[in-house]
């Protein structure tokens, strides 16, 4: 039915495992994933152009100046932005596009694309979130403290999202997100073209009968 591509925004607390969930979602269900630009240094194993487009602050500023982002935000000490061209091209092709971005960016997307589906991935409880952040072993204590503070602030933004999905078991979380996206695609207001066509066709059939 629904032929239009949907913009799907996925946010979640730092350390909640949303990167892994999104990767699995893309592998298993074939969604288009937007690769963001960032001024953050690559973590071990991260590949330029795959995990992020790694940029200097000057390069990032240039992209802002040339209107290259549909949104950008500062998160902790770095800049992150969603390149405009990829998203617009994929939506025009009718593909569902996933943006894995933080809360400020998600709110900008909601303003510009009111039809976007906003999903927030959360942890079963606060202790689990802290353990996952510590267990990742990629950030020092100061950065972990900042990310926990940010998580505390983000609690008040969760209500702005359409859906909350708990990442307790990764496979369940991935399938839950996919179910949400499927259900959204069946929403009557996303299928106006189908309803219009059905009406036209029935009108013809009815007359000829
Ligand atoms: P990390 O440094 O852990 O990869 O990402 C930090 C935060 O930045 C995460 O919450 C991630 O979702 C967010 N982020 C990644 N790309 C973008 C983007 O293009 N725009 C915005 N607003 N946030 C992003």
């Amino acid at each position: 039915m629904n032929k239009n591509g949907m913009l799907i925004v996925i946010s979640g607390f730092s350390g909640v495992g949303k990167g892994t969930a999104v990767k699995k979602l893309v592998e298993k269900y074939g969604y288009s994933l937007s690769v963001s630009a960032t001024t953050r240094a690559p973590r071990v194993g991260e590949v330029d152009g795959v995990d992020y487009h790694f940029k200097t602050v000057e390069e990032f500023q240039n992209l802002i100046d040339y209107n290259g982002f549909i949104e950008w935000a500062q998160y902790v000490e770095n800049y992150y932005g969603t390149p405009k061209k990829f998203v617009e091209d994929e939506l025009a092709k009718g593909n569902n596009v996933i943006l894995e971005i933080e809360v400020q960016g998600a709110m900008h997307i909601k303003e510009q694309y009111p039809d976007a589906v906003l999903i927030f991935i959360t942890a079963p409880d606060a202790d689990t979130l802290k353990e996952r952040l510590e267990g990742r072993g990629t950030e020092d204590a100061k950065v972990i403290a900042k990310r926990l503070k940010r998580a505390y602030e983000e609690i008040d933004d969760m209500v702005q999202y359409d859906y909350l999905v708990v990442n307790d078991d990764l496979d369940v979380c991935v399938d839950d997100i996919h179910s949400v996206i499927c259900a959204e695609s069946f929403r009557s207001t996303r299928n106006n073209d189908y309803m219009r066509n059905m009406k036209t066709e029935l009108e013809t059939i009815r007359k000829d009968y």
Side-chain angles (χ1 to χ4, degrees):
M1 274 198 293
N2 186 3
K3 297 278 191 304
N4 302 321
M6 284 193 292
L7 192 52
I8 300 136
V9 175
I10 298 186
S11 305
F13 299 127
S14 179
V16 80
K18 60 184 181 302
T20 316
V22 165
K23 210 173 257 176
K24 205 145 190 200
L25 197 62
V26 169
E27 278 166 18
K28 191 167 176 186
Y29 296 110
Y31 294 105
S32 299
L33 178 64
S34 161
V35 177
S36 296
T38 184
T39 58
R40 165 168 84 56
R43 293 189 184 119
V44 176
E46 283 185 333
V47 177
D48 187 33
V50 176
D51 298 284
Y52 280 106
H53 301 289
F54 294 102
K55 304 283 176 197
T56 63
V57 174
E58 291 71 27
E59 286 168 340
F60 196 94
Q61 187 59 53
N62 264 337
L63 282 162
I64 296 174
D65 294 345
Y66 287 99
N67 204 18
F69 294 126
I70 54 173
E71 66 73 38
W72 64 272
Q74 188 175 11
Y75 179 86
V76 186
E77 273 147 9
N78 296 296
Y79 294 101
Y80 298 83
T82 305
K84 185 181 263 180
K85 191 171 169 2
F86 175 82
V87 172
E88 291 186 343
D89 288 353
E90 288 300 299
L91 289 177
K93 282 188 236 164
N95 294 334
N96 292 331
V97 184
I98 293 187
L99 309 183
E100 191 227 304
I101 62 177
E102 54 65 75
V103 173
Q104 297 172 65
M107 295 305 115
H108 287 137
I109 294 293
K110 198 175 170 173
E111 281 164 24
Q112 291 175 71
Y113 299 85
D115 285 348
V117 184
L118 271 63
I119 302 171
F120 195 95
I121 306 185
T122 184
D125 51 61
D127 275 341
T128 310
L129 182 65
K130 181 174 129 310
E131 280 161 21
R132 284 189 195 166
L133 261 178
E134 290 169 348
R136 190 153 73 175
T138 48
E139 281 97 13
D140 62 25
K142 221 172 97 190
V143 174
I144 291 176
K146 279 188 188 164
R147 290 186 176 223
L148 283 172
K149 178 170 173 278
R150 186 66 180 241
Y152 175 77
E153 291 159 0
E154 283 175 351
I155 292 278
D156 294 333
D157 298 311
M158 284 163 89
V159 72
Q160 304 287 343
Y161 284 73
D162 299 305
Y163 299 92
L164 302 184
V165 175
V166 175
N167 184 13
D168 192 356
D169 177 284
L170 179 67
D171 290 319
V172 174
C173 172
V174 167
D175 289 345
D176 284 348
I177 296 171
H178 179 63
S179 303
V180 161
I181 299 170
C182 286
E184 272 295 330
S185 75
F186 295 126
R187 195 180 277 281
S188 59
T189 49
R190 291 190 192 276
N191 291 284
N192 288 329
D193 289 351
Y194 169 81
M195 292 188 280
R196 213 172 298 119
N197 290 341
M198 193 71 172
K199 191 167 181 180
T200 311
E201 286 167 18
L202 274 175
E203 189 142 29
T204 314
I205 289 173
R206 203 170 48 105
K207 276 191 208 140
D208 296 346
Y209 200 72

